Amino acid sequence: MKPAAISAALVTMVNQKHLRKFLIKKIDKYIYKEMVNDASEDLRPVQEKRYQFLSAMLHCMVRNIDKGYVSDNIVRKIIDVLVRNNFTCEDQSYYETAKRYKEKYGEDPPTFIVLSPTQKCNLKCIGCYASSGADASATIPFQYVDRIVGEMHDTCGSRFVTISGGEPLAYSSEDKTLFDIFEKYGDMFFLMYTNGTLINDQIARRFADCANVTPAISVEGFEEHTDHRRGVGTHRKILDAFERLRKSGVPFGISVTATSKNADVLLDDGFYEFYFNEQGASYMWQFQLMPIGRGKDEMDLMVTPPKRLELYRKWEKLLGEKKYCIADFWNSGVVSRGCIAYGRGGGYFYIDWHGNVTPCVFIPYYVDNIYELYRNGRTLVDALFSDFMKNGRKWQREYGLNNRKCPQNWLMPCSIRDHYEVFRNSVLPSQARPGDQKAKEALESPEYMEILSTYDKQLKDLTEKIWQNEYLNV
């Protein structure tokens, strides 16, 4: 199949149910042929994991189309914005913009941005990386949110934005909400992390009307685990949100923070069967708790290295055998070719509710701030060429991106979590500022350094043989 034929086949698949099974097999075969072959620069096991992820994404979406959980209109929007822009190369304006960026700056632009427009949240969860709550007032004015998204679109060619928080549905500025952004940038697709408790019938309809945004709703496990961390009654509200989204035909996903308290739940097949098969989730993102924000006071909540390895093995089976579209942003490093932070090509960077431009959602240090940049006549792209960002991209290239046939251990992809000493000694520049008091305390704490350094050594001992035997020497 030619690339353009893929888009046509996907549209036909949506419209013609009797052809769906036949077309899925053809599309899946095409994806495999494109991603697993001798011409690829990637290791064969890496190629296979990348294929399995896209195949799982396809099959999860089709399962929910078959059940009537996802509207035809939204699927066509996904095909237009994501498939034609990013997979089949049909939108030349995207590639022309990316080409101009590379000619000007000497490297590929970031594919997307994660933006947290407000720290405000109607919940106050234990271990929150953002230290959010109802009393948190930091909010980026709408004019700046609009400018940030516009610069990503016009300068980087980006057609994808992730919205985080705080609680994005609590955002309001200048009589505007984020739906005004979704409607203005109709050729972009948005992923919104939300606690789900504010999704009423009206909000669900607005998601459906925009057709270019998918909510990823946070859970911790089942009711007991979710309510323990997020508040009594939260899980019931989340199930109500699922029902509203299904009725409106809006594809949604699950976001779950893996901790020492719920790791065993995440190793249980029943957890995935409940959310994918019974509730109709189209994808799941897993995040391992990072000891920043309020998380610094919850070091015992970190998933231990042995348990992290168990979760990695679980992910392999769920992806390959069950075809559940799941990514763990630490254990799935092979899919993304390592760390995707620091504004690298194919990756992203982050802007928090104070306007601080950081390499990653989980790195609470920054050099530039959007208010300072714009006040001085500079642009968002200028922040991508600070020493901080360049140091991070240099580490990424040396760690594996420049030698994808023999990269270092992508089972340990994270610069700050899995290589803390390297992060402190080689990546974090002296001019970097902590985003809050707890981030400052972490830099000054010998205990913090010792805990993360010990964690990294234990993780390396557990994963290095797997990397050598199952990836490099295959």
Side-chain angles (χ1 to χ4, degrees):
M1 299 178 73
K2 294 182 179 180
I6 294 295
S7 300
L10 286 168
V11 172
T12 303
M13 176 202 73
V14 174
N15 297 329
Q16 304 292 333
K17 185 175 182 179
H18 66 284
L19 293 175
R20 206 167 282 163
K21 187 177 293 186
F22 168 75
L23 289 171
I24 288 302
K25 287 182 179 179
K26 290 201 70 173
I27 293 169
D28 198 280
K29 184 177 180 180
Y30 170 82
I31 294 173
Y32 184 86
K33 183 179 178 181
E34 287 294 302
M35 302 198 72
V36 184
N37 56 70
D38 292 337
S40 173
E41 295 180 29
D42 291 310
L43 295 164
R44 180 58 65 103
V46 170
Q47 296 175 43
E48 291 171 349
K49 287 292 193 301
R50 288 169 62 82
Y51 154 72
Q52 288 173 354
F53 180 77
L54 280 182
S55 179
M57 182 184 295
L58 175 66
H59 282 82
C60 277
M61 184 61 71
V62 171
R63 282 196 292 264
N64 287 327
I65 292 172
D66 285 342
K67 293 176 181 177
Y69 293 165
V70 181
S71 74
D72 295 355
N73 182 44
I74 292 177
V75 175
R76 282 190 285 269
K77 188 75 170 184
I78 293 172
I79 294 168
D80 284 340
V81 176
L82 290 183
V83 177
R84 289 188 168 126
N85 286 353
N86 296 299
F87 298 144
T88 61
C89 310
E90 295 173 61
D91 183 355
Q92 289 304 306
S93 65
Y94 164 80
Y95 288 94
E96 288 168 3
T97 303
K99 181 181 178 182
R100 287 194 296 270
Y101 183 102
K102 187 169 185 177
E103 289 173 347
K104 182 174 182 179
Y105 299 105
E107 53 187 274
D108 293 323
T111 299
F112 68 105
I113 188 173
V114 177
L115 173 63
S116 290
T118 185
Q119 191 182 16
K120 186 176 296 184
C121 184
N122 60 314
L123 301 181
K124 196 175 182 68
C125 305
I126 297 171
C128 174
Y129 83 93
S131 297
S132 295
D135 55 346
S137 60
T139 295
I140 301 176
F142 182 84
Q143 61 176 312
Y144 290 98
V145 173
D146 186 14
R147 181 170 177 177
I148 290 165
V149 176
E151 286 189 11
M152 287 299 297
H153 181 282
D154 297 340
T155 305
C156 298
S158 175
R159 297 295 184 269
F160 182 68
V161 174
T162 295
I163 305 292
S164 188
E167 171 50 52
L169 290 174
Y171 177 82
S172 178
S173 170
E174 303 168 24
D175 294 323
K176 303 281 189 180
T177 70
L178 291 172
F179 285 102
D180 293 283
I181 293 293
F182 305 151
E183 291 165 357
K184 178 175 180 177
Y185 296 95
D187 64 339
M188 301 183 79
F189 200 82
F190 296 83
L191 168 69
M192 173 192 284
Y193 289 104
T194 171
N195 62 46
T197 62
L198 299 180
I199 298 177
N200 54 26
D201 290 337
Q202 179 184 8
I203 293 296
R205 285 194 297 271
R206 292 207 71 180
F207 279 131
D209 291 341
C210 290
N212 66 338
V213 56
T214 175
I217 299 176
S218 300
V219 300
E220 308 303 324
F222 297 108
E223 182 174 21
E224 174 189 353
H225 311 90
T226 300
D227 286 3
H228 172 75
R229 186 173 185 229
R230 297 182 177 273
V232 176
T234 300
H235 194 259
R236 181 66 259 173
K237 293 178 182 178
I238 288 170
L239 296 185
D240 291 342
F242 291 163
E243 184 176 3
R244 293 186 176 100
L245 293 168
R246 289 193 299 265
K247 288 181 178 178
S248 299
V250 178
F252 63 88
I254 299 300
S255 171
V256 56
T257 301
T259 72
S260 59
K261 302 295 185 183
N262 70 353
D264 287 337
V265 175
L266 301 186
L267 292 168
D268 183 357
D269 284 347
F271 172 76
Y272 303 93
E273 291 167 1
F274 176 75
Y275 287 108
F276 280 103
N277 297 344
E278 296 183 33
Q279 296 300 318
S282 292
Y283 56 88
M284 179 182 291
W285 308 140
Q286 293 187 7
F287 301 88
Q288 296 181 29
L289 184 132
M290 290 285 289
I292 57 176
R294 283 198 293 271
K296 179 180 177 295
D297 299 324
E298 302 287 347
M299 299 291 278
D300 62 330
L301 281 176
M302 282 196 299
V303 175
T304 65
K307 194 64 73 173
R308 172 167 162 174
L309 183 56
E310 289 185 58
L311 289 169
Y312 167 74
R313 292 304 193 192
K314 189 67 177 181
W315 170 71
E316 283 188 309
K317 292 183 178 180
L318 292 167
L319 194 68
E321 297 176 10
K322 297 286 189 178
K323 288 193 178 294
Y324 291 154
C325 182
I326 301 171
D328 174 327
F329 284 82
W330 286 264
N331 278 341
S332 304
V334 293
V335 172
S336 58
R337 302 183 180 120
C339 169
I340 60 172
Y342 300 99
R344 66 164 247 206
Y348 86 106
F349 63 104
Y350 175 57
I351 299 179
D352 74 10
W353 40 83
H354 295 298
N356 298 329
V357 185
T358 79
C360 172
V361 175
F362 299 104
I363 297 179
Y365 306 100
Y366 69 100
V367 172
D368 292 297
N369 177 281
I370 58 167
Y371 303 122
E372 296 170 0
L373 286 168
Y374 292 157
R375 189 163 54 244
N376 293 321
R378 302 170 73 199
T379 70
L380 190 57
V381 174
D382 289 310
L384 298 178
F385 292 90
S386 69
D387 287 343
F388 198 4
M389 298 292 191
K390 289 192 293 185
N391 289 348
R393 293 197 295 271
K394 179 176 182 290
W395 174 79
Q396 290 167 341
R397 289 192 295 268
E398 293 173 349
Y399 196 71
L401 281 181
N402 277 2
N403 186 12
R404 282 158 42 191
K405 283 296 185 184
C406 190
Q408 296 185 56
N409 186 354
W410 277 341
L411 302 182
M412 298 180 61
C414 180
S415 67
I416 187 170
R417 172 66 176 273
D418 301 337
H419 304 274
Y420 190 68
E421 290 186 13
V422 173
F423 173 80
R424 289 288 302 272
N425 297 330
S426 302
V427 177
L428 185 70
S430 59
Q431 67 267 34
R433 295 170 278 182
D436 56 29
Q437 180 61 28
K438 291 185 180 297
K440 179 177 183 293
E441 291 170 2
L443 289 181
E444 298 170 348
S445 169
E447 180 186 11
Y448 191 92
M449 170 71 86
E450 182 181 356
I451 290 172
L452 287 189
S453 297
T454 300
Y455 176 98
D456 295 346
K457 290 182 176 68
Q458 292 175 348
L459 186 63
K460 184 175 181 179
D461 289 341
L462 289 172
T463 61
E464 194 62 35
K465 286 184 179 179
I466 296 173
W467 182 248
Q468 291 291 330
N469 296 333
E470 300 180 23
Y471 285 89
L472 293 182
N473 297 330
V474 174

